[in-house]
Amino acid sequence: DNAIMIAGRVSTATAIPLEELAQRDKVVNMVGASGSNDTTGKNCQRYGFRSQPSAYMACKALAPVVGGAYGKGVKAAYLTPDYTYGHSVFDSFIAGVKPFGWTVTTNPVVPLGTSDFSSALLNIANSGAQVFVNIAFGADAVASTKQADQFGVLKKMKLIVPNISSFQAKQTGAELMQGVYGTFDFWWT
């Protein structure tokens, strides 16, 4: 239809095929919030751009900050959503904190759209970790953070959210998000 640009896309599962369509039709594709490294990594197309940093970029920026704040030899528990974004963030984050000697105590993997994180959070609560890295994004991040508080995880572990969504702090609450390290693509207000 003579479009000059495609915009939006949150899911990598739709962003990557649209990258291919944009390449074929020589139309700019501006991906919204696909955080997976694959979007502009191995599946990068000439006409594809992203407004949000990839998992690699976010973790590359965040790792030295949390490594400096929490030190070397930290034991970390992760909550990873089971899709390309979650695995990209997990892989990128552990690579980023590797120079600080951080270790993984547990990494429960949960499906996208999980409403009850109790079994994963019990595993995290009993892991002996000093830091909880919540890789869940959007509504899943809000729900899992609130449930982590109910399970006592946030009382004994520092919280890191590698990719904070714009509404997360408001919906989770200032008390739970106080002092949390994470990255955010840009702030427009």
Side-chain angles (χ1 to χ4, degrees):
D1 294 332
N2 297 316
I4 61 169
M5 185 171 113
I6 302 169
R9 307 292 63 80
V10 173
S11 168
T12 302
T14 56
I16 290 173
L18 280 174
E19 293 277 287
E20 294 166 3
L21 174 69
Q23 181 71 22
R24 185 193 75 201
D25 292 346
K26 296 181 175 35
V27 175
V28 171
N29 182 35
M30 178 57 77
V31 177
S34 171
S36 170
N37 292 334
D38 291 350
T39 303
T40 52
K42 71 180 185 180
N43 294 304
C44 187
Q45 304 289 333
R46 177 184 177 101
Y47 290 87
F49 300 89
R50 71 181 330 136
S51 62
Q52 178 182 8
S54 68
Y56 171 81
M57 294 185 308
C59 294
K60 182 79 170 170
L62 184 57
V65 174
V66 297
Y70 298 136
K72 294 185 180 277
V74 170
K75 295 177 186 171
Y78 296 78
L79 178 68
T80 301
D82 193 13
Y83 59 110
T84 186
Y85 162 78
H87 296 289
S88 284
V89 175
F90 176 76
D91 293 343
S92 297
F93 194 87
I94 62 169
V97 295
K98 185 177 182 180
F100 296 95
W102 285 32
T103 57
V104 177
T105 61
T106 190
N107 180 32
V109 177
V110 295
L112 177 64
T114 296
S115 59
D116 180 1
F117 294 91
S118 58
S119 67
L121 292 170
L122 281 171
N123 188 338
I124 290 167
N126 295 318
S127 69
Q130 301 152 295
V131 170
F132 169 39
V133 183
N134 190 351
I135 298 173
F137 184 72
D140 288 0
V142 172
S144 58
T145 301
K146 286 180 176 181
Q147 290 176 37
D149 183 50
Q150 294 167 354
F151 278 85
V153 171
L154 303 183
K155 288 180 180 45
K156 54 184 170 181
M157 296 178 204
K158 302 290 185 185
L159 177 61
I160 297 172
V161 180
N163 195 345
I164 299 173
S165 57
S166 60
F167 58 84
Q168 188 171 350
K170 185 175 183 179
Q171 289 186 2
T172 304
E175 186 177 313
L176 296 183
M177 294 300 289
Q178 189 79 346
V180 171
Y181 283 101
T183 64
F184 192 77
D185 51 353
F186 54 88
W187 188 257
W188 55 87
T189 60

